[in-house]
Amino acid sequence: MRSIAEALTSMLPAFSPLGEEEVHLTKASGRYVSRNVMARFDAPPFDNSAMDGYAVRAADVASAGPDSPVRLPVRGESRAGGPLPEPLESGTACRIFTGAPMPSRADAIVIQEDTERDGDEVVIRESSREGVYVRAQGSDVPSGTLLLRAGDRLWPGEIGLLASQNIDRVHVFRRPRVAILSTGDELRQLGDELEPGTIINSNVYVLSEMLRALGAIPLALPAARDTLSDIEASLRTALEADVVITTGGVSVGEYDFVNAAFENVGIEPMFWKVRMKPGKPTAFALYRGKPVIGVPGNPISAMVAFEVLIAPCLRKMLGDPQPHPEPVVARLRDSYRRHPGRVEIARAVATREGDEIIVALHRLQGSGSLPSFVGVNALVILPADKGELAAGEKVEAILWGPGLKGASSIFDQIG
Ligand code: AMP
Ligand code: MG
């Protein structure tokens, strides 16, 4: 049986980025750019004032101080979005507001707080130096600078940067379309009447959301019945997508037909079973190079197999150059006993205590217990060889879902 690392090593090569497309910036959030993006022009695009006050020549106010004020006649005004100011004559000041263009030949700002207005004159009670409170043209980003590298993801800040550069279209990697094929005679859709013995196909809703969160496009197919022919027919439809994920029917039961259906459709098995808990009977196969992953039907197994094995592969396909999660080091709040042999991915609530992250394992660790995922913000990685884990022991954890909460010192005073 393969380790998680071995499983990923055989899966990852099948998940290459799908090529690029050009999208409008307002549709680009969460996407990965497929080309380097350069600055089209200087930012700021013109010298402007960082404060409300007066634009001056530093030399004219060099001697100003609280006890030795300098008086300058005020000539003109510059406001953000207003008409461009006239060049500044020496020995004068120009009223100016934040974001407004500097008059040419002015080289410093005196902030309003250091001045008093006296009719047509301004009394300046503080000296200034060249460049003070001036946001110089190109001081943030000179034209032609590299703004984003291929593979960077577009978060709101990146969107803002491109918008400020008037870049309205951006090249991004295509989003993989991922078919979700659930199998099981017992499965019903949301809102269906639940006859005895049937359950809602919760996996399809969970996996759709996990796919969307990554940036992939979920294609939910109707659940297939537990027959070879139904699964085969559904697989043929599913194979129109870029990636196929099946759930259920991949164990050793007599109604577990997924592996057999793969073979019948010409999907070549690569491996079956990974040394992890939950999620062991995960299958990986290829159809003409197209990845097909079969995860177990148990909801927790399906989620964990997705997070540990499928998500890194899809991130790579989405264009992420660093697709692997970065676990944090945490300490177990309580001791834990388990059967050694497989890496166990346990659901936990992580909190910060001082400098440390403490993880409290959920009391439900069964692979079918959906409540064990509620409120969970960490997946704790328990090493394969360890049966006894002591309270306070260091473990690795992947932060998940809502992430870490808890006060930082800057919020201490909030009631
Ligand atoms: P299987 O992997 O098909 O043997 O299913 C294992 C367990 O997961 C059984 O209790 C199934 O009823 C349940 N199960 C299978 N598929 C789903 C699904 N799509 N949503 C929720 N539970 C499922
Ligand atoms: Mg089943």
Side-chain angles (χ1 to χ4, degrees):
M1 215 190 308
R2 277 157 210 258
S3 66
I4 292 172
E6 288 163 347
L8 281 169
T9 301
S10 57
M11 292 170 77
L12 280 162
F15 291 81
S16 294
L18 293 167
E20 58 177 7
E21 60 185 341
E22 207 184 351
V23 296
H24 196 263
L25 191 61
T26 54
K27 298 277 183 295
S29 180
R31 307 291 297 269
Y32 293 83
V33 294
S34 55
R35 303 182 183 188
N36 292 348
V37 183
M38 309 295 177
R40 284 188 179 168
F41 45 75
D42 286 338
F46 48 88
D47 291 347
N48 70 94
S49 176
M51 300 290 276
D52 294 329
Y54 293 85
V56 297
R57 296 174 181 223
D60 289 341
V61 298
S63 66
D67 302 320
S68 54
V70 167
R71 278 180 173 265
L72 296 176
V74 179
R75 300 275 165 76
E77 175 185 286
S78 181
R79 63 185 169 83
L84 289 180
E86 297 291 317
L88 189 79
E89 286 170 38
S90 68
T92 70
C94 173
R95 182 73 170 120
I96 198 163
F97 302 96
T98 306
M102 290 290 285
S104 65
R105 309 221 296 261
D107 59 17
I109 296 294
V110 177
I111 62 173
Q112 191 166 313
E113 291 83 339
D114 291 335
T115 67
E116 261 158 55
R117 188 64 181 254
D118 183 10
D120 290 344
E121 293 185 334
V122 59
V123 181
I124 294 173
R125 297 191 183 279
E126 204 54 69
S127 65
S128 190
R129 278 172 295 107
E130 223 175 277
V132 167
Y133 294 123
V134 178
R135 300 192 285 216
Q137 176 173 345
S139 57
D140 284 346
V141 201
S143 175
T145 313
L146 182 68
L147 297 178
L148 299 178
R149 271 175 220 285
D152 283 347
R153 195 171 192 187
L154 295 169
W155 299 99
E158 283 76 4
I159 300 272
L161 177 61
L162 299 192
S164 74
Q165 285 282 323
N166 204 6
I167 295 173
D168 58 343
R169 301 186 70 79
V170 54
H171 287 92
V172 293
F173 288 111
R174 251 188 62 211
R175 304 168 69 195
R177 294 169 311 127
V178 182
I180 307 168
L181 171 54
S182 332
T183 69
D185 286 341
E186 73 278 31
L187 302 179
R188 298 292 179 271
Q189 289 185 55
L190 211 48
D192 279 355
E193 194 80 42
L194 283 180
E195 321 92 81
T198 62
I199 61 171
I200 296 292
N201 177 359
S202 59
N203 283 347
V204 73
Y205 304 105
V206 173
L207 294 177
S208 295
E209 293 315 318
M210 292 179 89
L211 286 165
R212 265 189 213 110
L214 287 177
I217 302 170
L219 302 175
L221 300 181
R225 299 189 59 84
D226 284 317
T227 63
L228 252 184
S229 59
D230 205 28
I231 298 173
E232 284 174 26
S234 297
L235 274 173
R236 289 199 175 88
T237 309
L239 284 167
E240 287 167 25
D242 300 305
V243 177
V244 177
I245 300 175
T246 68
T247 81
V250 81
S251 299
V252 294
E254 276 161 40
Y255 297 94
D256 290 334
F257 292 122
V258 166
N259 279 315
F262 281 1
E263 302 235 31
N264 290 356
V265 174
I267 304 173
E268 196 189 340
M270 303 303 289
F271 67 74
W272 178 46
K273 291 189 178 170
V274 182
R275 218 157 50 237
M276 62 188 278
K277 182 189 173 182
K280 179 170 91 170
T282 296
F284 176 59
L286 290 173
Y287 181 76
R288 299 179 186 160
K290 184 175 288 192
V292 180
I293 312 103
V295 298
N298 268 317
I300 303 302
S301 310
M303 286 170 83
V304 168
F306 184 95
E307 189 62 20
V308 173
L309 298 172
I310 302 177
C313 294
L314 286 177
R315 276 194 292 265
K316 179 181 172 223
M317 197 174 219
L318 281 152
D320 188 342
Q322 289 175 302
H324 296 292
E326 266 184 49
V328 297
V329 175
R331 283 188 193 279
L332 285 179
R333 192 190 66 184
D334 309 305
S335 61
Y336 188 64
R337 288 184 81 153
R338 55 187 289 274
H339 293 294
R342 286 186 274 163
V343 170
E344 184 168 344
I345 311 291
R347 277 78 63 213
V349 175
T351 48
R352 194 162 29 204
E353 286 181 21
D355 294 343
E356 294 191 318
I357 297 172
I358 308 296
V359 283
L361 302 191
H362 201 287
R363 79 188 159 79
L364 298 172
Q365 292 292 342
S367 55
S369 308
L370 269 171
S372 79
F373 243 113
V374 171
V376 159
N377 61 354
L379 299 178
V380 176
I381 305 165
L382 303 173
D385 53 352
K386 282 223 165 162
E388 301 266 352
L389 290 129
E393 195 153 325
K394 276 190 180 173
V395 287
E396 285 192 314
I398 302 171
L399 294 182
W400 203 82
L404 259 187
K405 289 189 184 157
S408 126
S409 56
I410 65 161
F411 302 118
D412 269 355
Q413 305 306 315
I414 301 171

